[in-house]
């Protein structure tokens, strides 16, 4: 072996260099995880956004020491970003950042096997198919169901809508009508547009007082469209909206879709995995009747961002929407028990993302995930009960899963004044630094959201959240007689 080979090359480090690189990363990663409880729950990134303009740089022509790069990542940029993996992150819909999945990504990226077709890595492709089957089992789909893993709910919704469009409308789809609620995630509307459905064909329907889509309202809209010569083809329901965590009445909507011969698609990106729990399964009854379902493991299974799933009751529509052959491809499977991922997905080149689910499930079993989700339900209902007792607070959206929304009580002023006070309450609560809450609009009201999903969030942090809300309320409404707890 030449001295050059012993030393390795820049693109192929030798054994010692590889071990050193990994060891240095492990030290930083472990220290980071151990420090998460002490890291700020809320970080104001306004200054960092402006400062990011100065980070623009030319293509590097010379190497930078690895320690300097780690310092930049862990000491400069990470502290100036939302602490999404921390216990105080109750904003948006948290992604937990499960460590076992990070290990899976290292393994998958190092093995670097191609999982777009079965022939290239049969065992690994089957592991991903097992993950899809596990998801189907969780939500109650039959063994004949199928699905794909995606980068997240946005692309999963896109593939689901494309499958529905191809199955129900074929090539003549410009007249197809889609029905959604005004609480549906915006990626659904975006997916419909990308799938070729004109904006004018999207029916955005009002919800009831619990922010749920009314089957009666949908039925009336369908009847009106049919009467005007339109072609209804897709009904989209939500199983856990982003705004309030609302679960649409799935059994009734499934019945309506079947009666009207519409494809029934459910966006359960946030809420679907609560089906692992008894309470969640009850709240999500009817989910198993959908033609297609979107799930986000990087939400309900606490995985790092970057893995979603689309499940379909029948593999046929998914394959008819995505299958394409080429001479340079290896033989495509004809066996009904086997599947090439590229035949049911828009992706040909894809990462081995299923390992980040497979490894923690196999290593830990499903029970820890079930227990953690049950705990999140407990915490959401607990803080909702405590907030309801605070003078001057109104619960605008009761928790149906692990999300709730509240504001300053409507009895205390005009809408404009209530919104000003609620915004101030929000800013002061986040300003304490222990939790990060986000806001939304519910009708004309400014509402503060609490979304409990992180596996690192426990009772102590929810108690801290309540304390900070109470303290902020004393400043916002000093005359309301808020009693400290």
């Amino acid at each position: 072996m030449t001295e050059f080979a012993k030393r390795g090359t820049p693109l192929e480090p030798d054994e010692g260099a590889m071990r050193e690189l990994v060891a240095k990363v492990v030290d930083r990663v472990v220290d980071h995880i151990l420090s998460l409880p002490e890291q700020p729950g809320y970080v104001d990134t306004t200054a960092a956004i402006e400062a990011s303009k100065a980070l623009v740089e030319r293509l590097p022509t010379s190497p930078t020491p690895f320690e300097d790069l780690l310092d930049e990542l862990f000491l400069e940029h990470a502290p100036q970003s939302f602490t999404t993996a921390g216990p105080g992150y109750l904003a948006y819909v948290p992604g937990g950042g499960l460590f076992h999945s990070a290990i899976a990504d290292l393994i998958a990226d190092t093995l670097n096997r191609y999982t777009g077709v079965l022939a290239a890595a049969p065992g690994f492709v089957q592991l991903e198919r097992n993950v899809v089957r596990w998801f189907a089992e969780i939500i109650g789909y039959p063994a004949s169901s199928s699905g794909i893993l995606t980068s997240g709910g946005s692309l999963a919704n896109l593939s689901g809508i494309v499958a529905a469009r191809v199955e129900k409308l074929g090539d003549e789809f410009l007249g197809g009508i889609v029905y959604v609620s005004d609480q549906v995630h915006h990626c659904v509307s975006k997916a419909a547009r990308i799938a070729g459905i004109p904006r004018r064909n999207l029916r955005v329907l009002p919800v009831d007082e619990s922010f749920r889509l009314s089957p009666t309202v949908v039925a009336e809209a369908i009847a009106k469209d049919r009467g005007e010569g339109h072609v209804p083809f897709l009904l989209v329901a939500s199983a856990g909206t982003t705004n309030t965590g609302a679960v649409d009445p799935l059994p009734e909507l499934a019945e309506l879709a079947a009666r009207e011969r519409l494809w029934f698609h459910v966006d359960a990106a946030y809420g679907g995995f609560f089906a692992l729990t008894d309470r969640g399964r009850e709240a999500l009854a009817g989910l198993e009747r959908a033609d297609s379902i979107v799930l986000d493991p990087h939400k309900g299974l606490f995985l790092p961002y970057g893995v979603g799933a689309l499940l379909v009751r029948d593999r046929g529509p998914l394959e008819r929407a995505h299958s394409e052959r080429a001479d340079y491809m290896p033989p495509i499977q004809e066996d009904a028990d086997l599947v090439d991922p590229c035949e049911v997905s828009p992706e040909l080149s894809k990462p081995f993302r299923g390992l980040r689910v497979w490894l923690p499930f196999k290593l830990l079993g499903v029970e820890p995930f079930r227990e953690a989700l049950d705990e999140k339900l407990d915490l959401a209902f607990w803080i909702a009960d405590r907030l309801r007792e605070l003078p001057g607070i109104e619960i605008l959206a009761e928790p149906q899963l692990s999300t709730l929304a509240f504001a300053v009580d409507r009895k205390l002023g005009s809408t404009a004044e209530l919104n000003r006070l609620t915004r101030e309450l929000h800013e002061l609560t986040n300003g304490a630094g222990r939790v990060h809450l986000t806001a939304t609009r519910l009708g004309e009201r400014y509402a503060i959201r609490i979304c409990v999903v992180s596996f690192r969030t426990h009772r102590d942090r929810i108690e801290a959240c309540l304390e900070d809300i109470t303290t902020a309320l004393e400043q916002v409404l000093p005359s309301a007689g808020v009693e400290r707890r």
Side-chain angles (χ1 to χ4, degrees), residues 91-353:
Y92 304 107
V93 181
L98 197 67
F99 180 71
H100 311 75
S101 293
I103 297 299
D105 282 352
L106 175 61
I107 295 170
D109 291 348
T110 303
L111 291 173
N112 196 35
R113 293 300 191 263
Y114 177 65
T115 55
V117 295
L118 184 67
F124 291 151
V125 170
Q126 186 56 52
L127 294 189
E128 287 200 326
R129 304 314 300 166
N130 288 348
V131 168
V132 170
R133 287 180 181 273
W134 295 342
F135 291 171
E137 182 180 344
I138 288 170
I139 60 93
Y141 256 5
S144 58
S145 62
S146 187
I148 57 174
L149 300 178
T150 70
S151 61
S154 295
L155 288 187
N157 273 304
L158 176 59
S159 276
I161 290 174
V162 169
R165 189 203 73 196
V166 171
E167 194 67 11
K168 291 294 185 179
L169 302 176
D171 293 336
E172 303 300 325
F173 57 81
L174 292 180
I177 305 296
V178 180
Y179 303 89
V180 303
S181 85
D182 62 15
Q183 297 294 301
V184 77
H185 195 282
H186 76 279
C187 77
V188 172
S189 306
K190 183 176 181 179
R193 176 163 49 87
I194 295 172
I197 306 301
R199 287 182 185 274
R200 65 179 180 273
N201 291 11
L202 186 69
R203 303 291 184 260
V204 181
L205 305 175
V207 292
D208 64 18
E209 65 279 359
S210 297
F211 304 98
R212 291 155 44 103
L213 183 58
S214 165
T216 301
V217 170
V218 179
E220 291 171 351
I222 293 172
K224 181 175 184 294
D225 281 324
R226 289 203 193 278
E228 295 175 355
H230 299 300
V231 186
F233 83 99
L234 174 61
L235 170 57
V236 180
S238 299
T241 61
T242 300
N243 266 350
T244 65
V247 179
D248 290 332
L250 303 177
E252 294 88 346
L253 292 173
E255 191 66 35
L256 173 62
R259 187 169 66 248
E260 296 288 348
R261 302 180 305 283
L262 271 60
W263 183 283
F264 185 39
H265 176 78
V266 179
D267 181 3
Y270 153 58
F273 285 112
F274 282 100
L276 281 168
T277 70
D278 291 338
R279 285 174 291 176
R281 195 174 305 111
E282 182 178 353
L284 297 168
L287 180 59
E288 73 286 350
R289 298 181 61 182
D291 294 297
S292 54
I293 301 169
V294 167
L295 301 169
D296 264 356
H298 64 222
K299 295 182 175 75
L301 292 182
F302 323 119
L303 271 59
Y305 294 115
V307 57
L310 171 69
L311 304 181
V312 289
R313 172 172 289 280
D314 176 19
R315 168 176 155 184
L318 198 60
E319 193 164 340
R320 286 188 283 275
H322 295 91
S323 177
E324 197 69 41
R325 306 294 173 92
D327 292 337
Y328 46 76
M329 294 289 290
I332 298 299
Q333 307 306 314
E334 304 297 339
D335 189 326
D337 293 329
L338 300 174
V339 63
D340 289 286
C342 67
E343 286 292 279
V344 292
S345 163
E347 292 184 297
L348 183 56
S349 297
K350 59 180 286 298
F352 182 24
R353 59 171 64 93

